[in-house]
Each structure stands twice: as structure tokens, then as C-alpha cells.
């Protein structure tokens, strides 16, 4: 009965989404207050019904209800309870239900916290969000119903895909989906503004918090997915330029550009056309990622195996919303008035340069990801575009972006003094040069590119710190007053600095882990040792271990440094008995910011095993930098000036509809 309630709740949500798609938008266009007033309560009811549906599916997994086809295909009675719950979104149907739940949640949040938004804009925004919700609820019910019954019900399920039975995969999809789907509300704001012909600085103020929220969660989701692939797949890499990884990177790049563009629009009333376009593109790229993952057009450890009907349906959704929004944009964009002029050397100019580089980077990733698919469709020829292409296109675009990053916050609005800003960055430049020379001396001049990359990371970090310290003006007001000034800085200022510092920290981790990593692949037997960097690993042999739904061959290693035991680790080769699928459970030991990484390959009958051992210097900085970025986003989000909804004075200053 609970399962049927979940199914019926989805149907009711579909009906409500149709109401929300029509009445509020018509009311906003015609000025009908009663129709516009429908949007907030309907948004809340949609969230309630989809929440009931998600709770019903979760209950079916928790109780191992094998009369439900989705539970049979993705669960097992012996599976740990945590993974019974996370199995809800460890499959196509359940993950799409989570996708829709987050989609209607954003609509409900705008309805609840967007009371300062003009009634017409809020109603139109919720109406567009209702259209998106209707499309995905229809997709869910027609092609991906998670509540299909089986009769008779089997006694046991098929178990969840083993690589998904991991804490990282319990966290990764919800974080990623909040980021993906979060851009839907910025898309809805953009479409609503174009429908009403009203795009102004106040609009940018309302859009920025939602963009920031989506960007923050997408950053965390990408980082969590990267770390999961790093330790769970046993490959020892943190980014593989997998098509599905690229599908999450593209909206992140577009969202980052949107954040910076919205700043210019809010402060100077400029870049209106560009900001609205980025709001459309960020969600369009999220829809593209959904299509790639669920259409079956590519093979990836991240992709869901789906039938062509699902791919065709999502392609139709993609075409309607992307094509429709771009057509609306083409109609309205010429009518939008641009804001004030600014010199190329100014904060606006720096943000424009930043946006151009981010957008071109997203285009490079887009081409590298979709070109093989397009070529196969057109000519039947199969090619592979791998890391060399992306490293040679994406990497060079990031270098000028990182060089310019410290200049932007220090430049004045409208017209800046590049020489004066350069003087304020002397200390940062000195630290970067010192770091470059030190790394070149320690590692050798043959690794000069790595040394330059390391110096670039220090440059970004020191430049962000210089911008914050310049606001304190210690040399003018003294230590105590300067500290008070730092404490009193708005959250957005600290958020911007931490976001840039996080980028620099991640760059340091990427450079060190790529250029200075040491790897050994050996066959080892009990009592033998292998040395990697400054560490010696002694193999203690294999032992058989039985888990709730798997069998492990666990290898024990003592890790010594200078002849002294400093740690031990137990990597394993795991076999899940229900699906007969093996996985690699890497043994990872962290020393400071560096790691020793061990994974077991083939196990031999004589007690030996093939192993892969890495020393990865500063590798944890990759994900630490992402956490710093997300924390900076959170500080900005809680800045009083950037909370959801614009303050009333700002609403009074709005310019007339254009």
C-alpha cells in the first residue's frame, strides 16, 4: 500500500506541475494577482507529494520489499542497511526521483524565501520551474517508474552494483544533483525575466544567491566524485576526463562564469545579455549531462545503462527547454539596454576576461566530449578523445586565467590602474618566484614546467591574501584597527578570497600529484618489500575475510620510514557474492598532505599478489582546495547583502521594465 501511495503522489505532483506551468505565467503576463498567487502554495504541495513518493521508495528499500521491481534489481537482504538506503538513488529510476525531489525543492524554497521578489517575477519564475518539473515528472512516470510491482515477488534481490556500495557514493549523487538541479532555478529566473522583458541589477541580486548555492554544491559533488573514483576504482587517479566527469565540469565552468558576470550586472548594470545567456547555458549543460548519463550513448563507470526510449525522451526535454529558451533569448536580447561603459583595464574588464576564458574552456570540454559521438553518428567512425586533448586545450586556457585572477579584485570599477595594482602584488609575486625557484632546485630543472605550475598556485593564494590584507590597511591604521577591519569585512569579501585561495590550493595539489608522483607495479610475496619514495612497504601476506554480502582477500602491509614502522594498511580484492563482481579496495595512508596508495590486482595461488604502489605528494590538496572553495561560497551565501531575496530598498530602486 505504501508503494501505491508513492506512485499516486507522483501523479498528483504531475497534475500540480501542469497547473503551476500555466496559471502563474499567464497571471504574470496579464497582471492577474489571483493567478500569480497560485504559484507559492502549489510549489509547496508539489514538494510535499514528491517527498511522500521518495519516502515511499525509501521505505521499500529499507524493508527489502522485493515485490517492487526497482528494489529487486538494486538491493539484497544481506546488504548493509546504509547501502539499502543509498540504493534508492544508486539506480536510474531512484536517482531520477531524487533529481525531481531536488527540482521541486528549489521551487518551494523560492516560494518560501522569495517574498521580496516582485510578484510578477516570482510567479513567472515558479511557472517556468513548474514546466521543467512537469517534463521530468512525465519522464519519470512514462519511462522510469520506480514503483512497478512484480508478481510473484522473488525471495531475494540482485544486489546493488558493488562499486556503488560505498560511503562516497552515498554522498556524491545528492551533492551533485543539488548542483545540477540548482541551476534550474537560475534558468527559470532568466526565462521569466525574458518573458516579462525585465532584466536589471535587482534581478542579478536575486539570482546570485541561487547560483552560489548551486555552484557550492556542484563543487562539493565533483570533489566527492573525484575522491570516490580515486580510492574505489583502484586506478590511483583523481580525474580521468571521463565523458560523465566532463558533463559535471561544463556546468561548473558556466556557473562560475555566471557568478562573476552577475557581480558586474549587479554593481554596474552591465553585461545583462551575457549574464542571462550564462544562466540559460549553465542549466542547459546540466541537462546535457543528464542526457549523456542516461541515454546509453556512452560507456562509463558513472553512466546508467538505459534503453533508447529514455534517451529519446531526455533528448526531447533538452531540445524543448534549450531551444525554447534560446529562441526566447534571441527575441528579447536585442531589447535589453546595456549598463555603464567601462575601460578594458578595470574590475569589469577583468571579470569579462575571466568569463571569456571560462566559457572557452567549457567549449573545449564540450567539443572533446561530444565530437567522438557526433563523428560516430555522422560517419560511423569511432575515435577516442582522451587526456592528451584536454590537457593541451583546457590547461593552456587556465594559465592566463590564474595569472589574471589576483588582479581582478584589486582593480577599481569602471577604470583601474594596472601599475598601482601590480605594486600591491609585489609580495605575492615574490613568493611565487621563490616557490618556483625552490621547486626547480629540489626537483631539477628538467621539471621546470611543474615548478612554474607550483609557483602559479602560490601566486593565486598569495594574491587573494594580498587583496584581503589591503582592505585592512595595517600600514595606515595600525594592527588593532586593521584586525577589526578584517573581522568586519562582509562575508562576500571573505568568500571571494577563500574561493580564489581554494583554486590555488587545488592547483598545488594537481601539480604535485601529477609531476612528482612515484609509481611502482610489482608482484610481491609474503615477507618481501617494495620501496616507493621514502617509504618501504613489507607484505605480511593475504587473509580471507567475509563481510555481510562479500568476500575479501585482504593484504597486510607494514609501512616503514627510515627503518621505523610508521603505519600499516590493508588493501583488499573484494568479491560481491550476489552479482559475482570484484572490486578493488585501495589501502591509503595519509602523511601530512601526501599519501601512500596501495591497490591489489591479481591474487596468485602461492600467496603472492600483483600490486600497484604510489607515493602521491600533496595529493590531498586537490580536495582540500575544493572544500575551501565551497566554504568561501557558504560565507558569501550568508552575507546579509546576498541572502535570498533582495532587500526592500533595492526593490524600490528597480528600473522600469525594458
Amino acid at each position: 500500500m505504501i508503494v501505491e501511495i508513492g506512485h499516486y503522489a507522483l501523479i498528483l505532483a504531475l497534475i500540480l506541475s501542469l497547473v503551476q506551468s500555466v496559471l502563474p505565467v499567464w497571471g504574470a503576463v496579464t497582471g492577474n494577482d489571483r493567478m500569480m498567487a497560485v504559484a507559492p502554495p502549489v510549489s509547496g504541495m508539489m514538494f510535499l507529494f514528491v517527498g511522500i513518493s521518495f519516502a515511499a521508495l525509501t521505505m521499500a528499500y529499507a524493508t527489502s520489499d522485493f515485490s517492487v521491481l526497482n528494489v529487486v534489481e538494486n538491493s539484497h537482504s544481506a546488504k548493509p542497511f546504509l547501502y539499502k538506503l543509498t540504493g534508492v538513488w544508486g539506480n536510474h529510476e531512484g536517482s531520477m526521483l531524487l533529481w525531481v525531489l531536488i527540482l521541486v525543492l528549489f521551487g518551494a524554497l523560492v516560494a518560501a524565501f522569495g517574498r521580496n521578489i516582485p510578484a510578477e517575477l516570482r510567479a513567472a519564475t515558479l511557472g517556468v520551474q513548474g514546466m521543467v518539473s512537469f517534463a521530468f515528472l512525465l519522464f519519470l512516470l512514462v519511462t522510469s517508474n520506480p514503483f512497478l510491482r512484480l508478481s510473484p515477488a522473488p525471495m531475494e534481490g540482485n544486489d546493488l552494483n558493488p562499486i556503488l556500495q560505498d560511503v562516497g557514493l552515498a554522498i556524491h549523487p545528492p551533492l551533485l544533483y543539488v548542483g545540477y538541479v540548482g541551476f534550474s532555478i537560475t534558468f527559470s529566473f532568466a526565462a521569466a525575466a525574458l518573458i516579462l522583458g525585465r532584466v536589471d541589477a535587482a534581478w542579478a541580486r536575486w539570482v546570485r544567491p541561487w547560483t552560489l548555492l548551486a555552484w557550492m554544491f556542484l563543487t562539493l559533488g565533483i570533489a566527492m566524485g573525484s575522491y570516490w573514483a580515486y580510492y574505489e576504482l583502484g586506478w590511483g587517479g583523481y580525474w580521468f576526463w571521463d565523458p560523465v566527469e566532463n558533463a559535471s565540469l561544463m556546468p561548473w565552468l558556466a556557473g562560475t562564469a555566471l557568478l562573476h558576470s552577475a557581480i558586474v550586472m549587479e554593481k554596474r548594470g552591465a553585461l545583462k545579455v551575457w549574464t542571462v545567456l550564462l544562466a540559460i547555458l549553465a542549466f542547459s549543460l546540466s541537462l546535457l549531462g543528464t542526457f549523456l548519463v542516461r541515454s546509453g550513448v556512452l560507456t562509463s563507470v558513472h553512466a546508467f545503462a538505459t534503453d533508447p526510449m529514455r534517451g529519446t525522451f531526455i533528448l526531447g526535454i533538452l531540445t524543448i527547454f534549450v531551444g525554447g529558451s534560446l529562441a526566447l533569448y534571441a527575441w528579447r536580447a536585442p531589447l535589453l539596454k546595456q549598463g555603464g561603459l567601462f575601460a578594458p583595464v578595470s574590475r569589469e574588464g577583468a571579470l569579462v576576461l575571466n568569463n571569456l576564458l571560462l566559457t572557452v574552456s567549457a567549449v573545449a570540454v564540450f567539443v572533446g566530449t561530444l565530437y567522438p559521438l557526433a563523428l560516430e553518428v555522422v560517419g560511423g567512425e569511432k575515435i577516442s578523445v582522451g587526456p592528451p586533448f584536454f590537457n593541451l586545450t583546457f590547461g593552456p586556457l587556465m594559465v592566463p586565467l590564474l595569472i589574471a585572477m589576483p588582479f581582478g579584485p584589486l582593480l577599481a570599477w569602471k577604470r583601474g590602474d594596472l601599475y598601482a595594482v601590480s605594486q600591491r602584488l609585489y609580495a605575492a609575486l615574490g613568493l611565487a618566484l621563490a616557490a618556483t625557484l625552490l621547486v626547480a632546485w629540489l626537483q631539477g630543472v628538467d621539471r621546470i614546467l611543474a615548478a612554474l605550475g607550483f609557483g602559479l598556485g602560490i601566486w593565486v593564494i598569495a594574491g587573494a591574501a594580498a587583496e584581503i590584507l589591503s582592505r585592512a590597511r595595517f600600514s595606515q591604521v595600525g594592527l588593532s584597527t586593521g584586525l577589526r577591519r578584517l573581522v568586519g569585512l562582509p562575508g562576500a569579501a571573505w568568500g571571494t578570497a577563500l574561493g580564489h585561495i581554494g583554486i590555488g590550493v587545488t592547483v598545488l595539489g594537481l601539480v604535485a600529484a601529477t609531476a612528482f608522483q612515484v609509481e611502482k607495479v610489482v608482484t610481491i610475496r609474503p615477507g618481501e618489500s617494495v620501496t616507493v619514495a621514502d617509504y618501504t612497504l613489507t607484505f605480511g601476506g593475504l587473509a580471507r575475510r567475509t563481510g555481510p554480502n562479500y568476500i575479501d582477500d585482504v593484504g597486510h602491509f607494514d609501512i616503514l620510514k627510515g627503518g621505523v614502522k610508521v603505519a600499516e594498511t590493508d588493501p583488499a580484492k573484494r568479491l560481491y557474492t550476489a552479482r559475482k563482481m570484484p572490486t578493488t579496495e585501495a589501502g591509503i595512508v595519509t602523511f601530512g598532505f601526501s599519501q601512500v596508495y596501495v591497490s591489489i590486482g591479481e591474487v596468485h595461488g602461492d600467496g603472492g599478489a600483483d600490486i600497484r604502489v604510489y607515493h602521491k605528494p600533496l595529493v590531498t590538496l586537490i580536495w582540500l582546495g575544493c572544500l575551501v572553495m565551497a566554504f568561501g561560497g557558504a560565507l558569501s551565501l550568508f552575507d546579509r547583502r546576498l541572502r535570498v531575496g533582495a532587500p526592500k530598498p533595492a526593490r524600490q530602486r528597480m528600473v522600469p521594465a525594458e
Side-chain angles (χ1 to χ4, degrees), residues 21 107 114 127 145 178 200 259-260 269 294 299 337 364 408 453 526 568 602 625 647:
S21 302
N145 190 346
V178 173
D200 51 25
L259 276 177
H260 291 82
R294 299 169 192 282
T299 302
K337 295 180 180 178
E568 56 185 44
E602 183 180 353

Side-chain angles (χ1 to χ4, degrees), residues 89-99 136 139-140 143-144 173 176-177 180 244 286-298 302-314:
W89 56 79
N91 58 88
H92 167 74
E93 294 82 1
S95 66
M96 280 309 303
L97 183 56
L98 176 63
W99 210 98
F136 279 97
F139 169 73
L140 196 61
T143 72
S144 310
L176 197 66
Y177 287 2
Y180 266 152
V244 180
S286 295
L287 289 178
L288 176 65
T290 304
F291 170 72
L292 290 175
V293 172
R294 299 169 192 282
S295 63
V297 299
L298 53 83
H302 304 79
F304 291 101
T306 57
D307 58 64
M309 181 181 177
R310 291 172 176 170
T312 303
F313 203 116
I314 296 179

